[in-house]
Amino acid sequence: MFEGIATLKMARAMTNHAAERQVIAARNIANADTPGYQARDLADFHDSYDMPAGPGMNATRARHITEPLWSGGAPRMMAETTGASPDGNTVSLEDEMFRSASIKRQHDLALGIYKSGLDLLRTSLGRG
């Protein structure tokens, strides 16, 4: 019912993006001592949300989802370009802590947008 509301679709996409970034940050931290591991992150949300959609997914049945839940393609994985340690590892725990705080702010913003959209819908229905 609410799939066509652009604000809610964007909030959902922002939440999914924050969740994917948190998984990548956790993977970076877990591999902080792995020789040769390259730290990764996703492109900013505003860059990946407005990306043109790539080729669609194949569907073999009518009930399969053929498009992602948010516009644009999959977010682009980016390698970090910070200095490497002598063993070739580029993970900086300080950078990952700052990235985790940024991810939390992005997630909180998405939840705030979603809550505001639901409050607006409730008010328009006379239930707010």
Side-chain angles (χ1 to χ4, degrees):
M1 176 177 176
F2 302 120
E3 295 84 17
I5 300 174
T7 305
L8 296 179
K9 188 184 293 188
M10 185 205 50
R12 181 178 185 175
M14 187 181 283
T15 304
N16 289 342
H17 186 265
E20 288 179 41
R21 281 190 74 203
Q22 187 61 43
V23 167
I24 292 169
R27 190 174 298 137
N28 287 344
I29 292 170
N31 286 294
D33 292 332
T34 304
Y37 183 80
Q38 300 293 311
R40 290 169 172 68
D41 195 9
L42 292 180
D44 288 335
F45 174 73
H46 60 84
D47 293 337
S48 61
Y49 187 72
D50 291 333
M51 270 194 320
M57 296 170 53
N58 292 334
T60 56
R61 296 184 184 185
R63 295 182 63 167
H64 285 179
I65 297 174
T66 58
E67 294 181 12
L69 298 174
W70 55 292
S71 67
R76 292 176 289 153
M77 183 75 71
M78 300 173 60
E80 292 295 309
T81 57
T82 59
S85 64
D87 66 356
N89 190 309
T90 62
V91 176
S92 165
L93 293 178
E94 293 84 5
D95 289 345
E96 297 304 322
M97 286 174 40
F98 283 116
R99 183 172 295 122
S100 292
S102 171
I103 293 167
K104 183 183 181 326
R105 280 193 308 273
Q106 179 183 353
H107 190 264
D108 290 345
L109 176 63
L111 290 177
I113 293 169
Y114 191 73
K115 184 179 180 305
S116 295
L118 290 179
D119 289 345
L120 183 63
L121 285 172
R122 284 188 194 105
T123 302
S124 67
L125 293 173
R127 297 180 183 166

